[in-house]
Amino acid sequence: LLRGAGMVAQENLIQSERNLIYAARSFERFRRQFLVDIATDYFDLLQAQQQIVNRQLQLENVAAFARRAEALAEAGRQPYIDAQEAQTEVLSSQDSLISARQSYALSLDRFKVRLGIPAEQTIEVLPAEIIVPTLLLEPETAQTAALAYRLDLQNQRDQVEDAQRGVKNARNGLLPDLDFDASLGLNT
């Protein structure tokens, strides 16, 4: 009937429960994102391994070409500058291979630290076959489900409700007070 009566009296309890729900959703969203980040790091490591293999093959091919160019230059069938350019490409390929190996080592150390494994410990990153099931949902259905179940959007929708409830509570705070004081005295 007056200020402070009704659901306003339970506002602290309601908001505490809502804050707990927000924290649980935020944690679950973090957990899911962490899983995706770990998988991304793993696939990046596999890609870096393949880059090392590719750069090794490139170095072997460039070295073979440099040997051929040098043999042709020594035979006088090709200018000697072409052999020097080929040797420069060999050095560039070696540098590229060393950079790829260093980058892989750094990424591997970061991955180990992220997983809580000591950086000194040796681990081997092996490729795994991953079977991705086909999606059985229509794109429109998947989009609707994604919008309905995204935890950060659920938090934002609930925070809008909290703001609306806050407006109602503020309106309740503008209601008049009714105070009643009584005293009784007896002459003895």
Side-chain angles (χ1 to χ4, degrees), residues 7 58 60 80 85 89 132 182 186:
M7 292 300 289
Q58 178 187 10
E60 291 170 6
Y80 192 69
E85 286 177 2
E89 287 184 36
V132 178
L186 295 173

Side-chain angles (χ1 to χ4, degrees), residues 14 18 29 42 70 76 88 97 104-106 117 122 124-125 137 151 162 173 179 186:
I14 292 170
R18 297 296 284 253
R29 181 163 168 75
Y42 167 75
E70 191 172 332
T88 302
L97 177 61
Y104 175 76
L106 179 64
I117 299 171
T122 304
E124 186 176 351
V125 179
L137 295 175
L151 298 175
D162 289 347
D179 291 335
L186 295 173

Side-chain angles (χ1 to χ4, degrees), residues 11 52 58 108 165 176:
E11 178 59 25
I52 290 171
Q58 178 187 10
L108 184 61
R165 192 176 67 251

Side-chain angles (χ1 to χ4, degrees), residues 50-102:
Q50 188 59 48
Q51 285 178 349
I52 290 171
V53 170
N54 292 344
R55 297 223 169 115
Q56 181 67 40
L57 291 173
Q58 178 187 10
L59 176 62
E60 291 170 6
N61 291 336
V62 169
F65 177 74
R67 286 190 301 273
R68 180 177 179 266
E70 191 172 332
L72 289 173
E74 288 176 4
R77 297 181 58 200
Q78 182 174 323
Y80 192 69
I81 191 137
D82 290 345
Q84 290 176 337
E85 286 177 2
Q87 190 60 34
T88 302
E89 287 184 36
V90 168
L91 295 174
S92 176
S93 293
Q94 286 174 341
D95 181 56
S96 179
L97 177 61
I98 290 169
S99 294
R101 286 179 177 160
Q102 288 175 342

Side-chain angles (χ1 to χ4, degrees), residues 151-165:
L151 298 175
D152 57 334
L153 290 179
Q154 289 178 4
N155 278 351
Q156 290 178 356
R157 280 193 290 266
D158 287 349
Q159 287 170 349
V160 168
E161 291 176 16
D162 289 347
Q164 291 170 343
R165 192 176 67 251

